[in-house]
């Protein structure tokens, strides 16, 4: 595999299972719905950031880092998985989180505290700026911080989802199944960029659709092209990606990032009742809601196979309980 030459630690439980969603498929009259369980990657309740962290932590260790620093929202799944990965590898962890100290210690934030992460609240400052100053201060104090960008989305983190596409193709060959569409929640872009680079590497010829939970499609598609191109360089591959190589739907942004609306509430209930599958309120609830809407709109043929890539976020449910 192209990712075999890159430094990587083992964290995730792989391969993650692929399961059918027969009741929803029947209720909708097709397409055939399946789910890839990256909510079950195994790190402190799992999620998609774990695959990225296998490469990011390896790079941090190669740089003799002693502290992982990252940023995100108060209920960031990425921050929680980063804190857990740091603990697992004996590294300190500093999380720069949006908001202020009054945020209730529930969901991911509760786990961050149990994982003994140092939490720095951004207040009204920009997370990226605050993160740089935190890293600078750590260096002044004689520490060796390793800064992981928002969502773990850089050329190193993206490798996790290039490898994931290889994993899917191997599972597909063994099970004699090919998916016409892959649908996922997209935000900082590393997951979708990795899958698209992986599709190029491993010869996946289906359609990959990112349903945005936050950025506008035009902005995100530019970022995806940059991420995919830099990841290709990192993997010593040739291709240069353009915005047109990415399909992003931004019709389901509702009230904005992390604002739980009726789409997310209804979708979480529908999927839980029909399949016993739990989605999260910020990412997968919104993206699956978009998928159901597109299906009812006739965007897929009844005999097509659609794989929803479940990217995790389950702990976030408990941080939004009052809105559910
Ligand atoms: C971070 C996250 C995403 C988005 O992944 P990106 O690589 O940032 O686009 C989707 N779902 C969940 C649950 C996440 O935590």
């Amino acid at each position: 595999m192209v990712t075999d030459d890159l430094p990587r630690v083992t964290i995730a439980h792989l391969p993650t299972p692929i399961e059918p969603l027969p009741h929803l498929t029947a209720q909708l009259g097709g397409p055939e719905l399946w789910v890839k369980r990256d909510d079950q990657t195994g790190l402190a309740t799992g999620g998609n950031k774990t695959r990225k962290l296998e490469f990011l932590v390896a790079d941090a260790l190669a740089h003799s880092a002693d502290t992982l620093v990252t940023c995100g929202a108060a209920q960031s799944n990425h921050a929680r998985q980063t804190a857990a990965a740091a603990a697992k590898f004996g590294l300190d962890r500093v999380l720069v989180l949006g908001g202020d100290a009054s945020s209730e210690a529930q969901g991911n934030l509760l786990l961050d505290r149990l994982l003994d992460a140092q939490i720095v609240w951004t207040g009204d400052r920009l997370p990226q700026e605050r993160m740089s100053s935190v890293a600078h201060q750590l260096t002044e104090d004689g520490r060796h911080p390793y800064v992981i960008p928002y969502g773990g989305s850089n050329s190193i983190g993206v490798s996790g989802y290039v490898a994931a596409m290889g994993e899917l193709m191997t599972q597909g060959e063994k099970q004699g199944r090919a998916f016409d569409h892959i649908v996922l929640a997209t935000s900082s872009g590393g997951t979708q960029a990795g899958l698209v680079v992986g599709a190029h590497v491993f010869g996946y010829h289906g359609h990959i659709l990112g349903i945005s939970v936050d950025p506008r499609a035009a902005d995100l598609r530019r970022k995806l092209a940059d991420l995919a191109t830099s990841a290709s360089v990192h993997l010593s591959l040739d291709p240069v990606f353009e915005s047109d190589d990415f399909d992003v739907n931004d019709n389901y942004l509702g009230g904005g990032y992390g604002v739980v609306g009726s789409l997310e509430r209804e979708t979480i209930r529908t999927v839980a009742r029909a399949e016993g599958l739990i989605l999260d309120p910020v990412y997968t609830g919104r993206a699956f809601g978009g998928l159901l809407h597109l299906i009812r709109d006739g965007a897929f043929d009844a005999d097509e196979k659609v794989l929803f890539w479940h990217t995790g976020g389950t702990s976030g449910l408990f941080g939004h309980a009052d809105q559910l």
Side-chain angles (χ1 to χ4, degrees):
M1 218 188 254
V2 282
T3 51
D4 284 353
D5 296 335
L6 298 176
R8 179 176 187 175
V9 297
T10 301
I11 308 176
H13 301 175
L14 302 178
T16 55
I18 297 173
E19 296 170 348
L21 299 175
H23 302 127
L24 283 173
T25 300
Q27 278 170 26
L28 294 157
E32 205 177 285
L33 289 172
W34 295 76
V35 62
K36 173 88 168 141
R37 300 294 306 272
D38 274 16
D39 57 320
Q40 301 290 316
T41 51
L43 179 67
T45 76
N48 63 337
K49 305 313 181 302
T50 305
R51 290 187 189 265
K52 303 179 185 184
L53 285 162
E54 290 199 334
F55 293 90
L56 291 161
V57 170
D59 192 54
L61 295 174
H63 285 87
S64 306
D66 56 21
T67 308
L68 298 186
V69 183
T70 198
C71 65
Q75 282 298 332
S76 168
N77 301 301
H78 163 66
R80 179 252 308 160
Q81 287 165 84
T82 301
K88 195 173 168 69
F89 288 89
L91 304 169
D92 286 343
R93 43 268 179 200
V94 182
L95 306 177
V96 176
L97 301 182
D100 60 55
S102 67
S103 306
E104 196 190 354
Q106 254 298 1
N108 284 304
L109 188 54
L110 173 63
L111 298 182
D112 295 343
R113 294 202 190 281
L114 295 176
L115 291 160
D116 199 25
Q118 184 192 331
I119 294 169
V120 177
W121 295 101
T122 56
D124 43 22
R125 294 179 62 187
L126 291 172
Q128 301 284 355
E129 267 173 31
R130 192 82 179 90
M131 192 158 69
S132 309
S133 65
V134 164
H136 185 73
Q137 187 59 50
L138 284 165
T139 307
E140 298 249 291
D141 297 344
R143 309 304 312 259
H144 299 282
Y146 181 87
V147 175
I148 297 177
Y150 179 69
S153 288
N154 60 14
S155 57
I156 298 167
V158 166
S159 308
Y161 272 90
V162 179
M165 182 53 99
E167 175 183 305
L168 176 71
M169 295 301 278
T170 305
Q171 284 175 308
E173 276 162 30
K174 280 194 190 141
Q175 299 170 7
R177 188 179 300 117
F179 295 100
D180 302 295
H181 304 266
I182 295 171
V183 178
L184 72 151
T186 182
S187 172
S188 73
T191 305
Q192 188 172 0
L195 292 177
V196 170
V197 174
H200 182 88
V201 172
F202 299 105
Y204 173 74
H205 301 299
H207 168 222
I208 298 173
L209 171 64
I211 297 188
S212 178
V213 303
D214 184 21
R216 282 283 162 199
D219 297 336
L220 185 52
R221 288 165 71 221
R222 262 193 301 278
K223 182 176 182 192
L224 286 163
D226 289 347
L227 268 175
T229 301
S230 68
S232 296
V233 171
H234 184 65
L235 291 163
S236 312
L237 303 169
D238 298 331
V240 172
F241 291 88
E242 313 281 348
S243 292
D244 286 350
D245 296 320
F246 300 89
D247 192 3
V248 175
N249 182 319
D250 64 1
N251 288 336
Y252 305 100
L253 300 180
Y257 179 82
V259 178
V260 185
S262 56
L263 177 78
E264 293 80 22
R265 267 196 296 275
E266 281 164 25
T267 304
I268 290 170
R269 283 207 164 73
T270 300
V271 175
R273 269 184 213 156
E275 303 287 355
L277 179 72
I278 303 300
L279 301 173
D280 83 286
V282 178
Y283 296 91
T284 55
R286 181 167 290 179
F288 206 102
L291 171 59
L292 290 176
H293 187 257
L294 289 169
I295 290 172
R296 293 188 183 111
D297 237 27
F300 305 94
D301 292 337
D303 61 352
E304 285 187 311
K305 289 185 176 61
V306 176
L307 181 72
F308 181 76
W309 205 302
H310 192 328
T311 42
T314 317
S315 324
L317 268 176
F318 305 100
H320 291 88
D322 52 339
Q323 297 160 69
L324 293 164

